[in-house]
């Protein structure tokens, strides 16, 4: 079989992107495979093409419901009808309907928690599976917003079923992740296909400021003199809202985006951003995974991310179209404390674990107990997972070492900020890569040349003339 | 119109007989026995469930505003209007909500419409691939069925929908501002809808006010669509939106067992629910179904006596009635009041 011909016939591309063909070949040979590909390098093709060439369905485990919905929408948009998403957002009857017709679908996206339900597993056992894909596989070992204890449970599911090859996909892979993925997924001597994670079109810049007032002034000046579309990452929902308001008040076309907004508004904001009706988005880390916008020119961090992995993922949303883009991190000294504080409040303390455990023993409902014990959402998820397997004392130890790990991660992130060496090299070495390439627009430590493309004449405010209601209907429908 | 003004209106209806939380439950459309009864007692059906996701914080803020303006006061936890409050209510314009009939389903109607409009808006210009503004699979399937074998790529068809919509927006009597909000939430090929924030800024109004005007406009539009035969496409889009049975799903299940002859205790056991919940269901049935066999629970004489007392006391508070009729249970008193509101007695 000629893979390039299949690629041309089914997707209309004349050649593979780096790494794709190798991954597809391994998968077709039936090997377990770990593919480390930078964002925007066509990860989904790595399972779509083999899916068409193999008998049976492709099961894709995906960590975020929004991400899953986006991927499904994207595939439908490209004309594939035999695709479906199975997640806890479906109502009971919808889910039953989907489950009963599972064998009609070629591509089945599923959230990890669904795979810990026995009834669902029973259906999957009857199904002929060609391939199991674990998307964003780093979620197995990253604590934080992305962390899904349910991912750790995948091993249990994979043990029960008579399984086809597994393809684990990720765009970040430090040593820990590369150890955890095959371990938790119980992969059988997996092949690792790795592409450099270097994003040559992104230039990195760290700017040190003295106060949040200076930060605000810098951002205001930046967004009103340079090009969008851009994302400004902040530390909290509240901060995103505040910042968006400030920027709106000086006439910048900007909206905040986070998990606290209602679904319709989130769709609208995404669509406006996608269509170029909106220049800037102030977001928490909820904005990112699964957003397919190629032309993001800038990513600004108003706060300090807690790990290099998080940082490089967020930064990686810029410039997927391959054109020059800038990542700017604003830093002031107290940021370290703030981020450290956020991490610490997220990881449950000994007293909290004991208190939570006692409440459960007394028969209180888990949600209520978690509230009383002051556990974060992530904290509760993780403890619940650990409780199935370990004694309280062990859990406390694990959390302590986790807290230490997080602190080390934070220090690594900090060293990236304060270093006088090349930032790009630093990031790559974090992922175990070496690079000696000279890139003209590299980073603020490698003497950054003037970037003329970045500066724009801003058209004056009020892009849209206000339309009357019936003019609007006429515009939409004729 | 804003949350405070609507709250004031509701309080004027429940004047001195309920706590502030009764209004919160009403606005959220809580399906508990107490709230469902209140809806009847105080004739506040239009406001039932118009804000299903109203948060405590927003609600308390609106209530606080009324307290600060001295429109309401609290005595023994019961809220009543002051003289200023009463005159303020008199100044209010009429509301046109139909919460009892739509119960949050009006939003489903709008989601269908929004996706339908986005679809034809793209197709009429030959764009066959776009990211749907509604990700809900049910909505997507609905629109797909709606357009089955329709000339969806024809600009003429798109215009037909547009003309029908224009006519209905004018016909239903919503304000121009409401038309602006309504159409502002529609997405087309080039123009994406506006977020609530954006609309609030453009109109220089508060978010709650914009949201409420939007909900009211949907109720007005839906009524228009259902009362005239001139809106074939909109009629299809609004299929199944109006509440068919006024009983909750759970009450329907209880009703079935009740009609099979089970006692309340046995129904509670079968359904693994508290007896008080089953009683709530019976109250719902008594309120909504004219065939409810009230005489299996109380006699005509008892009913007449209770109603006469309620009228002479000028109250609907069960506590006071219970003092007057110690031999009747709260459940029996509630049944009588429920049937009375329906006007059967």
């Amino acid at each position: 079989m000629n893979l390039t011909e299949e690629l041309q016939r089914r997707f209309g591309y004349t050649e593979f992107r780096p790494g794709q063909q190798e991954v597809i070949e391994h998968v077709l040979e039936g090997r377990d495979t770990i593919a480390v590909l930078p964002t925007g390098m066509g990860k989904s093709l790595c399972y779509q093409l083999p899916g068409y060439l193999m008998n049976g369905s492709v099961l894709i485990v995906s960590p975020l419901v929004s991400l899953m919905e986006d991927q499904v929408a994207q595939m439908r948009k490209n004309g594939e009808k035999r695709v479906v998403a199975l997640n806890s957002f479906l109502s009971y009857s919808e889910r039953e309907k989907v489950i009963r017709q599972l064998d009609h679908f070629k591509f089945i996206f599923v959230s990890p928690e669904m795979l810990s339900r026995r009834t669902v597993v029973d259906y999957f056992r009857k199904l002929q599976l060609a391939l199991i894909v674990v998307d964003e596989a780093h979620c197995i070992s990253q604590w934080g917003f992305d962390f899904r204890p349910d991912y750790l449970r995948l091993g249990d599911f994979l043990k029960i079923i008579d399984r086809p090859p597994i393809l684990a996909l990720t765009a970040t892979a430090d040593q820990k992740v590369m150890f955890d993925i095959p371990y938790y997924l119980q992969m059988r001597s997996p092949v690792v296909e790795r592409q450099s994670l270097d994003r040559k079109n992104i230039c990195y810049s760290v700017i040190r400021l003295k106060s949040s007032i200076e930060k605000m002034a810098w951002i205001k000046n930046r967004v009103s003199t340079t090009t969008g579309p851009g994302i400004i990452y902040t530390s909290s929902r509240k901060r995103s809202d505040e910042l968006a308001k400030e920027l709106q008040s000086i006439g910048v076309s900007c909206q905040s985006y986070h998990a606290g907004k209602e679904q319709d508004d989130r769709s609208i904001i995404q669509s406006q951003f996608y269509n170029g009706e909106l220049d800037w988005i102030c977001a928490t880390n909820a904005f990112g995974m699964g957003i397919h916008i190629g032309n993001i020119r800038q990513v600004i961090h108003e706060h300090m991310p807690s790990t290099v992995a998080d940082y490089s993922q967020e930064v990686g949303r810029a410039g997927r179209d391959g054109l020059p883009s800038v990542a700017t991190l604003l830093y002031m000294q107290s940021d370290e404390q703030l981020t450290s504080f956020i991490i610490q409040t997220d990881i449950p303390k000994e007293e909290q674990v004991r208190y939570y455990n006692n409440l459960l023993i007394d028969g209180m409902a888990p949600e209520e107990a978690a509230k009383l014990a002051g556990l974060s959402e992530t904290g509760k998820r993780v403890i619940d997972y650990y409780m199935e397997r370990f004694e309280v004392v062990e859990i406390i130890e694990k959390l302590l070492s986790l807290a230490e790990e997080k602190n080390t991660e934070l220090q690594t992130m900090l060293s990236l900020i304060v270093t006088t060496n090349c930032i790009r090299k630093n990031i790559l070495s974090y992922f175990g890569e070496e690079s000696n390439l000279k890139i003209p627009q590299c980073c603020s430590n490698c003497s950054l040349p003037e970037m003329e493309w970045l500066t724009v004449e801003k058209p004056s405010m009020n892009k849209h003339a206000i339309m009357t209601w019936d003019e609007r209907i006429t515009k939409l429908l004729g | 119109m804003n949350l405070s003004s609507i709250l004031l209106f509701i309080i004027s209806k429940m004047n001195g007989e309920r706590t502030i939380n009764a209004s919160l439950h009403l606005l959220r459309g809580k399906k508990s026995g107490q709230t469902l009864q209140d809806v009847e007692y105080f004739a506040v059906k239009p406001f039932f469930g118009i804000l299903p996701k109203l948060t405590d914080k927003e609600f308390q803020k609106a209530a606080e505003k009324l307290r600060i303006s001295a429109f309401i006061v609290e005595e023994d936890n019961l809220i009543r209007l002051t003289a200023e409050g009463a005159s303020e209510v008199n100044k209010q314009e009429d509301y046109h909500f139909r919460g009892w009939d739509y119960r949050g389903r009006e939003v489903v109607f709008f989601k269908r419409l929004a996706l339908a409009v986005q679809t034809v808006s793209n197709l009429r210009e030959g764009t066959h691939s776009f990211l749907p503004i509604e990700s809900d699979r049910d909505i997507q399937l609905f629109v797909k069925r709606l357009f089955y074998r329709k000339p969806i790529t024809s600009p003429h068809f798109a215009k037909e929908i547009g003309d029908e919509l224009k006519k209905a927006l004018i016909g239903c009597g919503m304000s121009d501002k409401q038309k602006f909000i309504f159409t502002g939430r529609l997405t087309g090929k080039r123009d994406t809808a506006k977020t609530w924030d954006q609309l609030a800024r453009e109109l220089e109004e508060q978010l709650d006010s914009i949201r409420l005007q939007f909900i009211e406009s949907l109720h007005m539009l839906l009524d228009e669509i259902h009362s005239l035969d001139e809106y074939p496409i909109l009629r299809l889009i609004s299929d199944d939106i109006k509440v068919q049975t006024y009983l909750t799903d759970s009450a329907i299940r209880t009703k079935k067992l009740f009609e099979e002859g089970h006692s309340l205790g046995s129904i509670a056991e079968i359904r693994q629910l508290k007896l008080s919940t089953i009683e709530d269901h019976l109250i719902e049935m008594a309120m909504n179904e004219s065939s409810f066999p009230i005489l299996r629970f109380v006699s005509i004489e008892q009913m007449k006596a209770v109603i006469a007392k309620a009228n002479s006391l000028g109250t609907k508070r069960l506590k006071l009635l219970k003092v007057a009729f110690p031999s009747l249970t709260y459940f029996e008193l509630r049944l009588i009041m429920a049937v009375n509101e329906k006007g059967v007695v």
Side-chain angles (χ1 to χ4, degrees):
Chain A
M1 177 181 13
N2 185 324
L3 282 180
T4 316
E5 266 172 29
E6 291 291 336
L7 177 74
Q8 167 93 49
R9 193 164 73 81
R10 295 178 188 271
F11 295 91
Y13 302 130
T14 50
E15 56 186 64
F16 285 103
R17 289 183 170 181
Q20 281 179 335
Q21 185 166 0
E22 291 79 355
V23 172
I24 291 167
E25 281 167 357
H26 297 316
V27 167
L28 289 174
E29 280 164 22
R31 300 276 312 262
D32 283 356
T33 308
I34 302 176
V36 185
L37 300 172
T39 29
M41 290 304 282
K43 278 189 294 172
S44 61
L45 190 92
C46 295
Y47 56 82
Q48 283 188 47
L49 184 56
Y52 290 124
L53 303 175
M54 297 162 100
N55 287 324
S57 313
V58 179
L59 176 66
I60 303 127
V61 187
S62 186
L64 279 181
V65 175
S66 61
L67 173 67
M68 196 183 301
E69 298 289 351
D70 281 342
Q71 283 166 323
V72 170
Q74 203 74 33
M75 282 175 77
R76 287 214 182 98
K77 185 180 157 192
N78 294 333
E80 175 54 71
K81 304 285 180 217
R82 293 171 302 160
V83 51
V84 74
L86 191 58
N87 55 49
S88 48
F89 274 55
L90 296 178
S91 71
Y92 179 76
S93 61
E94 289 170 317
R95 204 156 61 211
E96 287 295 296
K97 204 162 66 189
V98 171
I99 287 178
R100 273 198 305 273
Q101 305 173 343
L102 271 185
D103 52 349
H104 292 355
F105 297 104
K106 186 78 192 174
F107 300 97
I108 303 163
F109 286 82
V110 67
S111 58
E113 75 272 9
M114 295 298 295
L115 293 179
S116 48
R117 297 180 194 212
R118 189 166 306 146
T119 47
V120 176
V121 173
D122 284 343
Y123 274 102
F124 277 113
R125 281 164 98 167
K126 287 181 221 146
L127 203 65
Q128 193 195 354
L129 288 177
L131 175 66
I132 294 175
V133 181
V134 180
D135 201 6
E136 309 284 349
H138 62 274
C139 293
I140 279 180
S141 56
Q142 262 182 28
W143 173 281
F145 187 81
D146 297 352
F147 187 79
R148 292 287 180 279
D150 285 311
Y151 255 55
L152 300 176
R153 292 199 188 94
L154 281 180
D156 299 342
F157 167 73
L158 295 168
K159 247 187 299 188
I160 317 174
I161 60 163
D162 183 20
R163 73 164 177 82
I166 297 177
L167 169 62
L169 293 167
T170 180
T172 53
D174 56 48
Q175 278 180 344
K176 183 171 177 330
V177 172
M178 288 309 280
F179 174 80
D180 284 348
I181 290 176
Y183 175 77
Y184 285 110
L185 296 180
Q186 317 217 343
M187 296 174 94
R188 299 163 192 157
S189 39
V191 211
V192 177
E193 187 57 49
R194 205 184 174 118
Q195 288 294 312
S196 169
L197 297 179
D198 189 15
R199 299 284 307 278
K200 295 185 182 58
N201 58 325
I202 298 179
C203 112
Y204 298 89
S205 154
V206 172
I207 293 178
R208 287 158 175 262
L209 297 164
K210 286 196 191 66
S211 64
S212 30
I213 298 169
E214 278 193 6
K215 270 191 187 175
M216 192 70 229
W218 190 93
I219 293 173
K220 278 185 174 172
N221 175 53
R222 177 73 160 202
V223 299
S224 41
T225 55
T226 62
T227 183
I231 309 171
I232 306 174
Y233 280 110
T234 65
S235 54
S236 67
R237 295 176 185 182
K238 192 166 158 246
R239 185 67 201 135
S240 311
D241 288 339
E242 286 168 3
L243 187 59
K245 257 206 186 112
E246 277 280 335
L247 296 179
Q248 284 163 9
S249 74
I250 59 164
V252 175
S253 120
C254 173
Q255 287 275 299
S256 62
Y257 185 103
H258 50 69
K261 292 223 156 185
E262 72 167 71
Q263 182 55 49
D264 279 356
D265 265 5
R266 275 190 279 167
S267 297
I268 290 171
I269 294 169
Q270 273 195 39
S271 173
Q272 290 180 347
F273 199 51
Y274 191 82
N275 290 338
E277 296 166 64
L278 189 63
D279 290 338
W280 291 89
I281 282 185
C282 296
T284 62
N285 49 9
F287 187 78
M289 270 214 255
I291 307 273
H292 302 277
I293 298 171
N295 64 341
I296 293 171
R297 293 277 72 85
Q298 297 198 62
V299 169
I300 296 172
H301 277 85
E302 194 233 8
H303 74 126
M304 173 181 170
S306 54
T307 70
V308 177
D310 285 350
Y311 176 64
S312 90
Q313 278 233 318
E314 285 162 15
V315 160
R317 277 148 204 158
R320 294 206 182 168
D321 55 7
L323 297 174
S325 311
V326 188
T328 313
L329 190 150
L330 305 182
Y331 177 74
M332 60 180 191
Q333 216 150 31
S334 58
D335 285 350
E336 187 195 345
Q337 280 158 13
L338 179 68
T339 305
S340 165
F341 176 75
I342 291 173
I343 296 170
Q344 276 165 25
T345 46
D346 211 29
I347 298 181
K349 308 266 176 316
E350 173 167 356
E351 313 85 78
Q352 287 176 300
V353 178
R354 289 192 190 282
Y355 187 42
Y356 178 61
N357 187 46
N358 288 339
L359 291 174
L360 291 185
I361 291 170
D362 289 347
M364 186 178 279
E367 283 70 32
E368 208 177 319
K371 226 184 196 173
L372 275 180
L375 295 177
S376 65
E377 232 171 271
T378 317
K380 176 183 176 298
R381 275 206 302 256
V382 174
I383 296 183
D384 287 346
Y385 170 75
Y386 280 153
M387 278 183 168
E388 289 172 14
R389 286 163 169 76
F390 306 109
E391 296 295 318
V392 170
V393 191
E394 292 173 284
I395 297 177
I396 290 166
E397 259 172 49
K398 279 182 181 297
L399 289 174
L400 274 178
S401 69
L402 194 61
E404 246 167 67
E405 227 172 75
K406 288 307 283 183
N407 197 34
T408 317
E409 291 261 21
L410 181 64
Q411 291 310 315
T412 315
M413 183 63 218
L414 187 64
S415 70
L416 182 78
I417 292 173
V418 299
T419 185
T420 49
N421 297 324
C422 175
I423 300 172
R424 180 184 311 275
K425 272 190 193 163
N426 244 285
I427 294 175
L428 289 174
S429 80
Y430 175 87
F431 295 116
E433 270 186 56
E434 263 181 56
S435 154
N436 288 309
L437 274 177
K438 282 266 174 281
I439 291 171
Q441 297 187 348
C442 182
C443 71
S444 51
N445 289 342
C446 295
S447 76
L448 222 45
E450 194 67 33
M451 289 179 280
E452 275 151 22
W453 61 268
L454 197 57
T455 320
V456 284
E457 275 306 303
K458 285 274 153 160
S460 61
M461 322 173 31
N462 279 338
K463 270 196 209 173
H464 316 283
I466 298 220
M467 255 183 285
T468 65
W469 67 272
D470 61 343
E471 282 167 1
R472 184 165 174 93
I473 295 181
T474 307
K475 180 142 190 248
L476 299 178
L477 296 170
Chain B
M1 172 192 333
N2 57 38
L3 189 51
S4 292
S5 71
I6 284 175
L7 182 57
L8 187 67
F9 184 81
I10 294 170
I11 293 171
S12 80
K13 290 284 189 176
M14 299 185 174
N15 206 358
E17 306 248 336
R18 288 288 180 270
T19 66
I20 190 86
N21 278 340
S23 306
L24 176 62
H25 297 323
L26 172 72
L27 288 167
R28 281 186 184 160
K30 188 176 175 193
K31 286 173 183 157
S32 71
Q34 185 65 60
T35 305
L36 293 174
Q37 271 180 78
D38 282 355
V39 162
E40 290 278 351
Y41 284 4
F42 302 110
V44 284
K45 278 184 173 175
F47 303 97
F48 182 78
I50 59 174
L51 294 171
K53 288 181 192 151
L54 180 61
T55 63
D56 232 13
K57 211 170 131 193
E58 293 167 293
F59 178 77
Q60 295 306 343
K61 212 170 111 190
E64 194 52 33
K65 236 167 93 183
L66 295 177
R67 284 193 198 100
I68 290 170
S69 318
F71 290 157
I72 56 171
V73 284
E74 224 155 347
E75 273 165 38
D76 297 335
N77 274 331
L78 302 178
I79 295 274
R80 66 173 177 77
L81 289 194
T82 60
E84 293 80 29
S87 84
E88 183 68 19
V89 168
N90 283 333
K91 278 187 253 162
Q92 289 186 354
E93 279 177 40
D94 289 345
Y95 298 112
H96 305 280
F97 289 100
R98 293 286 299 271
W100 188 249
D101 288 336
Y102 299 115
R103 303 187 179 190
R105 300 271 301 159
E106 68 280 334
V107 183
V108 176
F109 161 77
F110 190 80
K111 283 170 188 276
R112 291 172 180 172
L113 178 69
L115 185 58
V117 166
Q118 185 194 19
T119 305
V120 288
S121 176
N122 276 280
L123 291 179
R124 82 186 177 103
E125 297 193 44
T127 309
H128 289 266
S129 152
F130 57 92
L131 276 174
I133 200 78
E134 292 298 337
S135 51
D136 185 327
R137 193 77 187 120
D138 266 351
I139 303 286
Q140 293 181 359
L141 287 174
F142 180 92
V143 172
K144 203 173 149 188
R145 278 197 304 271
L146 174 76
F147 285 155
Y148 182 66
R149 296 203 168 159
K150 294 273 190 331
I152 45 176
T153 52
S154 131
H156 183 74
F157 182 63
K159 189 169 180 320
E160 223 173 278
I161 297 179
D163 289 345
E164 194 178 311
L165 192 55
K166 282 180 192 172
K167 194 168 147 199
L169 290 185
I170 294 169
C172 73
M174 64 169 82
S175 70
D176 279 350
K177 198 189 283 165
Q178 284 175 316
K179 293 183 197 118
F180 183 81
I181 297 170
F182 185 96
T183 52
R185 291 292 286 184
L186 292 172
T187 292
K189 171 149 165 54
R190 266 169 234 92
D191 288 72
T192 305
K194 294 165 194 161
T195 63
W196 296 117
D197 284 345
Q198 288 166 337
L199 284 167
R201 231 182 20 255
E202 255 174 63
L203 293 169
E204 296 177 348
E205 286 195 29
Q206 296 297 311
L207 277 176
D208 59 333
S209 169
I210 303 276
R211 292 296 301 264
L212 285 163
Q213 291 182 63
F214 178 67
I215 299 292
E216 188 190 43
S217 75
L218 287 176
H219 291 178
M220 295 170 88
L221 179 64
L222 282 164
D223 271 1
E224 170 78 6
I225 294 168
H226 287 299
S227 58
L228 292 178
D229 275 331
E230 296 167 23
Y231 311 109
I233 303 167
L234 292 172
R235 179 77 67 90
L236 287 174
I237 296 176
S238 64
D239 181 47
D240 215 15
I241 290 297
K242 198 166 175 172
V243 172
Q244 294 297 319
T245 162
Y246 290 92
L247 295 185
T248 54
D249 293 349
S250 187
I252 290 172
R253 261 173 269 154
T254 294
K255 183 184 166 199
K256 206 164 154 263
L257 291 168
F258 181 71
E259 283 170 354
E260 283 168 15
H262 290 279
S263 72
L264 299 200
S266 128
I267 296 174
E269 205 161 296
I270 294 171
R271 299 208 51 207
Q272 302 266 315
L273 291 171
K274 279 191 240 156
L275 184 63
S276 61
T277 310
I278 304 297
E279 289 179 352
D280 283 348
H281 294 161
L282 270 280
I283 302 286
E284 259 189 86
M285 287 159 56
M287 266 169 31
N288 290 296
E289 315 215 313
S290 51
S291 59
F292 185 78
I294 180 82
L295 296 180
R296 276 170 61 180
F297 298 92
V298 289
S299 67
I300 300 249
E301 289 69 35
Q302 284 171 324
M303 288 167 72
K304 282 184 176 157
V306 171
I307 289 157
K309 187 76 186 172
N311 289 340
S312 74
L313 285 175
T315 185
K316 286 155 182 170
R317 286 175 66 195
L318 292 170
K319 229 180 224 167
L320 299 178
L321 291 172
K322 175 75 180 158
V323 174
F325 300 94
S327 66
L328 289 175
T329 63
Y330 272 110
F331 174 57
E332 286 162 347
L333 287 169
R334 285 169 66 199
L335 274 182
I336 293 172
M337 295 310 288
V339 173
N340 179 39
E341 285 305 322
K342 218 170 49 187
V344 174
V345 178

